[in-house]
Amino acid sequence: ETGVTQSPTHLIKTRGQQVTLRCSSQSGHNTVSWYQQALGQGPQFIFQYYREEENGRGNFPPRFSGLQFPNYSSELNVNALELDDSALYLCASSWGQLNEQFFGPGTRLTVL
Amino acid sequence: DQQVKQNSPSLSVQEGRISILNCDYTNSMFDYFLWYKKYPAEGPTFLISISSIKDKNEDGRFTVFLNKSAKHLSLHIVPSQPGDSAVYFCAARGNQAGTALIFGKGTTLSVSS
């Protein structure tokens, strides 16, 4: 059974640019959640996708957007990058919206 | 305002002794609580959970206690092992679909041999 994978591992962008992060959910999982973890903080919920629809969103601006594909993999897109967007971005998958979430290793984004 | 608080940034324990990690929450709508463990360069790994209808849940060396009236939960690790050294996150959520998992800031546990 393949776990949650994320790509890329690390990424460096400059302010104002756009970035796309990718996540492959664990086999059999239909729900993907994205989190942002700033240094010294716990993960903060960005949004959740269930069967290709966004069904929950945290306190993040619209420039954070996402997609979920028919195979339940997912993308997180961030437009107009700001310095404060520098963080570890975590993807988690689950079977169903309320079940245990399994996390990927994360993508470390640095905005210069 | 933090809805889930882990007030101890770090904890040091000797191998074989008990580790107690604490967590407080403010939102009375939370009804499910989880502990995750995180090693550097890895994502958080689920450790143990507890529903609000229970006050204790055990899994091997790990026990979680929930005190709803105090809005407090704790994770006990007995006996502690050097491999337990990691960052521990407390998390909570409500029972609505799409509801966020709210994390604390984490406690770094160091177990010395």
Side-chain angles (χ1 to χ4, degrees):
Chain A
E1 184 180 85
T2 309
V4 179
T5 59
Q6 293 185 244
S7 62
T9 307
H10 296 90
L11 201 52
I12 299 175
K13 291 285 189 178
T14 55
R15 201 167 43 179
Q17 284 189 311
Q18 178 265 344
V19 70
T20 298
L21 310 182
R22 294 178 175 84
C23 172
S24 290
S25 56
Q26 186 163 315
S27 175
H29 287 182
N30 58 9
T31 304
V32 172
S33 302
W34 285 91
Y35 295 83
Q36 179 195 67
Q37 187 181 8
L39 206 59
Q41 304 293 317
Q44 271 201 295
F45 177 70
I46 303 175
F47 42 55
Q48 182 181 83
Y49 278 83
Y50 172 66
R51 293 186 174 180
E52 302 176 58
E53 298 280 334
E54 182 183 300
N55 74 332
R57 189 176 183 94
N59 189 24
F60 280 82
R63 60 189 184 84
F64 285 78
S65 63
L67 279 174
Q68 187 180 30
F69 300 100
N71 66 355
Y72 302 129
S73 66
S74 177
E75 285 182 356
L76 164 65
N77 298 290
V78 187
N79 293 322
L81 283 167
E82 300 176 0
L83 298 180
D84 283 349
D85 295 334
S86 296
L88 179 69
Y89 287 85
L90 294 161
C91 165
S93 74
S94 58
W95 172 247
Q97 300 155 76
L98 294 177
N99 292 328
E100 177 192 329
Q101 296 183 13
F102 292 81
F103 283 82
T107 293
R108 172 72 62 187
L109 173 65
T110 302
V111 182
L112 303 175
Chain B
D1 63 328
Q2 271 190 282
Q3 297 186 67
V4 177
K5 298 178 187 178
Q6 293 178 256
N7 291 320
S8 298
S10 62
L11 175 67
S12 294
V13 170
Q14 282 198 315
E15 181 179 9
R17 308 295 278 265
I18 184 171
S19 295
I20 300 177
L21 296 99
N22 293 303
C23 178
D24 297 295
Y25 63 96
T26 58
N27 190 337
S28 56
M29 298 302 290
F30 289 149
D31 79 338
Y32 197 67
F33 304 88
L34 308 90
W35 285 93
Y36 281 84
K37 173 173 153 180
K38 187 177 186 303
Y39 293 119
E42 294 183 14
T45 303
F46 170 75
L47 204 52
I48 192 168
S49 62
I50 188 166
S51 163
S52 61
I53 61 173
K54 292 187 167 184
D55 56 16
K56 177 182 172 181
N57 188 27
E58 268 182 278
D59 184 1
R61 297 185 298 115
F62 302 91
T63 303
V64 57
F65 295 93
L66 175 63
N67 182 333
K68 281 178 59 181
S69 60
K71 292 192 176 68
H72 177 83
L73 62 155
S74 60
L75 174 68
H76 293 210
I77 306 174
V78 185
S80 302
Q81 299 173 354
D84 296 330
S85 297
V87 180
Y88 288 78
F89 291 101
C90 170
R93 64 160 172 79
N95 60 6
Q96 300 296 314
T99 189
L101 197 55
I102 307 296
F103 284 83
K105 289 188 176 183
T107 296
T108 300
L109 174 65
S110 299
V111 181
S112 56
S113 53

